[in-house]
Amino acid sequence: MDRVALRGLKARGHHGVFPREREEGQTFIVDLVLSLDTRPAAASDDLTKTVHYGVVAEEVVDIVQGEPVDLIETLAERIARNCLKHDAVREVEVTVHKPDAPITVPFDDVTITITRSRV
């Protein structure tokens, strides 16, 4: 499989278990690796035979900005399911970063990474 990667998609969401997270929101960053066979698109130079990563990026931002969830695990799962709706995508790796997580000690980032594929 070939891979198309989108890194650093940023959006403000209201996800988290604490009331302050739900009320104020925070920035979430998403990285995606979409696995697909790009040979048909490369041979024909035809966008319809691959995944339109601009559309995927907009959909991911909409999900992050959309209905709040408690866990970034749930958010990652929603993003993965959406990516797999695109016909060309056979597998997706999703990393959700929560750099402003409510942790009481110094840290750089909190992430969850999941991999989902068509079964």
Side-chain angles (χ1 to χ4, degrees):
M1 285 283 106
D2 305 315
R3 296 180 312 232
V4 173
L6 290 92
R7 307 234 188 256
L9 297 169
K10 293 180 185 168
R12 189 161 188 83
H14 294 264
H15 312 289
V17 296
F18 297 112
R20 183 175 177 189
E21 293 178 290
R22 291 293 182 105
E23 293 164 12
E24 296 177 14
Q26 60 193 293
T27 299
F28 292 84
I29 302 166
V30 178
D31 301 325
L32 300 175
V33 179
L34 308 169
S35 297
L36 60 148
D37 183 357
T38 63
R39 289 176 291 192
S44 63
D45 200 30
D46 184 352
L47 178 61
T48 65
K49 295 183 179 179
T50 188
V51 63
H52 191 311
Y53 51 79
V55 170
V56 171
E58 291 171 359
E59 292 170 348
V60 168
V61 167
D62 286 346
I63 292 168
V64 173
Q65 292 175 339
E67 181 185 346
V69 296
D70 288 344
L71 304 176
I72 58 173
E73 291 86 344
T74 306
L75 183 59
E77 188 68 34
R78 284 184 179 177
I79 292 167
R81 278 197 312 260
N82 185 80
C83 290
L84 290 172
K85 289 180 182 178
H86 293 268
D87 290 337
V89 177
R90 297 292 171 235
E91 183 175 272
V92 61
E93 179 182 280
V94 177
T95 301
V96 175
H97 300 256
K98 189 174 179 180
D100 299 320
I103 297 175
T104 61
V105 297
F107 73 102
D108 289 330
D109 199 5
V110 172
T111 67
I112 175 81
T113 300
I114 66 170
T115 302
R116 299 293 181 265
S117 60
R118 295 180 187 272
V119 180

